[in-house]
Amino acid sequence: MGGAASIAYSNYNHNTQLFQKSLERLSSGLRINSAADDPSGLAIADKLRTQASSINQSIQNANSAIGLTQIADKAMAEQSNIIDIIKSKLIQARTATTSDEGREAIRKDIVKYLEQLDNIAEQTNYNGRTLLQKDRGDNTSSDSLQFQVGESSSDTIDMNGVQSNTTGLNLNALKTLGVGGLTANVAATNMSVVDDALSQLNTFRSEFGSTQNQLESSIRYMVTMETNLKASESAIRDVDYAKETMELNRLKIIMQAGMYAIAQANKMQEQMIKYLYG
């Protein structure tokens, strides 16, 4: 009888451990609370979680990059307005009804507008990075940019540098016209120069625009990927509440039955002792 009681105690202790594990899963919401619960499942779930975290950071990177491209595009949109105004003023200076004094006033306006165009190129930046030229003191082409938009070092989107100032747009000669330098013939010559500048500016804008489209497409893809990765991790790591609740109730019934079996085994053992030594 002592053996039967020992077996009953052993089974009861085993079921108690299972009951505690089931209770832990329900309270934490996780099927895997330690490596011992499912070593291979834990390794897979951790890898999926790391992958999802990397994708999430890449989405943030892409959103920041979109902000950068939008700042540059809005700045160049204003530069485009400036060039439109300059073209109109050159047309006005070209006509015979405009006096020499009027052309001089137009020249001053054009110089001021081109100075503002350079100011925009010099001041436009994102987080301190100048976007339309090298930097504030260097009007050469801006640095090419590379945006990390994936979990691998090769998952990048590249963008070429631009030079959206009077030098890059070939407007220096117009900007440096001296007093009396704007004649009808000079105005006629520079009209085509301004047209070319506008075409070049649109090329620069398209560089930022196409990059923004590429970033937005990457974000849509990565959002879907992150959602699927988190769902896959959850399927491995998280507990199935309905299934685990049923298991908990089953173990509870088995434990109650075990307690009854222990009680009966102890009672029979006591009766046997009384019979032998009574």
Side-chain angles (χ1 to χ4, degrees):
M1 292 300 176
S6 175
I7 292 172
Y9 271 116
S10 177
N11 289 336
Y12 177 78
N13 289 334
H14 176 68
N15 289 326
T16 299
Q17 293 175 357
L18 293 177
F19 180 84
Q20 291 173 343
K21 280 185 173 292
S22 181
L23 193 62
E24 181 184 16
R25 292 189 185 107
L26 288 172
S27 61
S28 67
L30 299 175
R31 184 181 69 85
I32 304 175
N33 289 283
S34 67
D37 293 335
D38 185 352
S40 60
L42 178 65
I44 296 171
D46 281 349
K47 185 174 182 179
L48 290 171
R49 181 177 60 187
T50 300
Q51 192 176 2
S53 298
S54 300
I55 295 298
N56 180 264
Q57 183 58 57
S58 295
I59 292 172
Q60 295 180 42
N61 289 353
N63 280 320
S64 297
I66 287 174
L68 180 150
T69 61
Q70 289 175 334
I71 289 172
D73 181 65
K74 295 301 181 183
M76 286 188 287
E78 180 55 32
Q79 289 183 321
S80 180
N81 290 336
I82 289 174
I83 292 176
D84 288 342
I85 293 170
I86 292 173
K87 178 66 180 294
S88 297
K89 289 187 174 296
L90 289 173
I91 292 173
Q92 183 183 7
R94 175 73 174 90
T95 188
T97 57
T98 301
S99 65
D100 291 341
E101 291 79 7
R103 291 192 182 92
E104 179 58 22
I106 291 172
R107 182 195 67 81
K108 291 179 180 178
D109 275 349
I110 289 175
V111 170
K112 289 295 183 182
Y113 274 116
L114 290 175
E115 287 176 353
Q116 179 57 22
L117 186 144
D118 280 341
N119 287 339
I120 292 172
E122 182 179 329
Q123 296 169 14
T124 301
N125 72 91
Y126 182 90
N127 197 25
R129 176 182 288 277
T130 306
L131 303 178
L132 305 185
Q133 62 181 43
K134 183 74 171 180
D135 56 48
R136 284 182 174 269
D138 186 346
N139 68 355
T140 58
S141 179
S142 63
D143 294 329
S144 58
L145 302 177
Q146 189 173 76
F147 307 114
Q148 180 70 38
V149 290
E151 56 183 315
S152 169
S153 61
S154 61
D155 296 333
T156 60
I157 291 177
D158 299 332
M159 186 175 69
N160 296 324
V162 301
Q163 190 179 7
S164 186
N165 48 41
T166 53
T167 301
L169 299 175
N170 197 29
L171 295 172
N172 269 338
L174 190 58
K175 179 184 176 182
T176 57
L177 280 177
V179 176
L182 183 59
T183 63
N185 289 335
V186 170
T189 300
N190 279 281
M191 285 167 60
S192 60
V193 173
V194 170
D195 287 339
D196 292 341
L198 185 59
S199 296
Q200 183 61 58
L201 180 62
N202 288 334
T203 300
F204 291 152
R205 291 188 70 182
S206 68
E207 179 71 23
F208 284 92
S210 59
T211 300
Q212 180 177 335
N213 290 336
Q214 191 176 1
L215 289 164
E216 290 173 349
S217 176
S218 295
I219 287 175
R220 289 192 294 270
Y221 160 73
M222 288 189 295
V223 166
T224 301
M225 186 175 180
E226 182 190 19
T227 300
N228 291 333
L229 286 170
K230 287 183 176 180
S232 298
E233 182 201 359
S234 176
I236 296 172
R237 192 188 298 275
D238 294 347
V239 70
D240 183 334
Y241 276 97
K243 180 179 178 181
E244 199 62 43
T245 300
M246 290 176 60
E247 178 67 9
L248 187 71
N249 290 332
R250 185 185 72 84
L251 291 170
K252 188 182 296 185
I253 293 171
I254 292 174
M255 287 174 62
Q256 290 172 348
M259 291 175 66
Y260 177 77
I262 291 171
Q264 288 298 106
N266 288 337
K267 185 176 181 180
M268 291 178 65
Q269 188 174 18
E270 289 174 1
Q271 289 176 347
M272 183 62 68
I273 291 173
K274 285 181 181 181
Y275 176 77
L276 292 174
Y277 299 100

